[in-house]
């Protein structure tokens, strides 16, 4: 199975007043990982602009909170 690991640069604006990364921003991180997977493994280049790629469904099960200044990476596979 092919997969990618994408390091995420956390932004100050991703974090709430308690120091947690907002769940909406975590979805953005997943999109960054998806783009990396498409470019690295599927080698789509700009294919998606002409033919299109559709994400039919996503599901997220949170195991723990992500906090400010913690190292974060996204692992993506199909």
């Amino acid at each position: 199975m092919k997969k990618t690991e994408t390091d995420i640069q956390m932004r100050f604006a991703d974090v709430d007043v308690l120091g947690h990364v907002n769940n909406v921003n975590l979805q953005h991180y997943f999109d960054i990982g998806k783009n990396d997977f498409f470019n690295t493994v599927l080698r789509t280049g700009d294919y998606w602009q002409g033919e299109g790629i559709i994400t039919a469904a996503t599901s997220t099960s949170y195991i723990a909170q992500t906090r400010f200044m913690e190292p974060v990476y996204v692992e993506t596979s199909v």
Side-chain angles (χ1 to χ4, degrees):
M1 174 173 29
K2 296 181 179 183
K3 67 179 180 181
T4 57
E5 283 188 10
T6 307
D7 291 325
I8 301 296
Q9 180 182 0
M10 188 182 301
R11 301 170 303 174
F12 183 78
D14 295 348
V15 181
D16 65 19
V17 70
L18 299 174
H20 307 115
V21 175
N22 184 288
N23 288 351
V24 171
N25 290 316
L26 291 175
Q27 297 301 317
H28 292 226
Y29 296 173
F30 301 153
D31 283 344
I32 293 168
K34 180 174 60 176
N35 288 339
D36 187 33
F37 181 84
F38 287 159
N39 290 329
T40 303
V41 175
L42 301 181
R43 301 192 196 302
T44 55
D46 61 0
Y47 167 83
W48 63 271
Q49 292 178 335
E51 298 297 322
I53 295 175
I54 297 172
T55 301
T58 62
S59 176
T60 305
S61 297
Y62 296 99
I63 298 170
Q65 298 174 13
T66 305
R67 296 182 179 276
F68 186 58
M69 298 301 291
E70 288 182 335
V72 177
Y73 71 93
V74 174
E75 185 176 287
T76 307
S77 65
V78 174

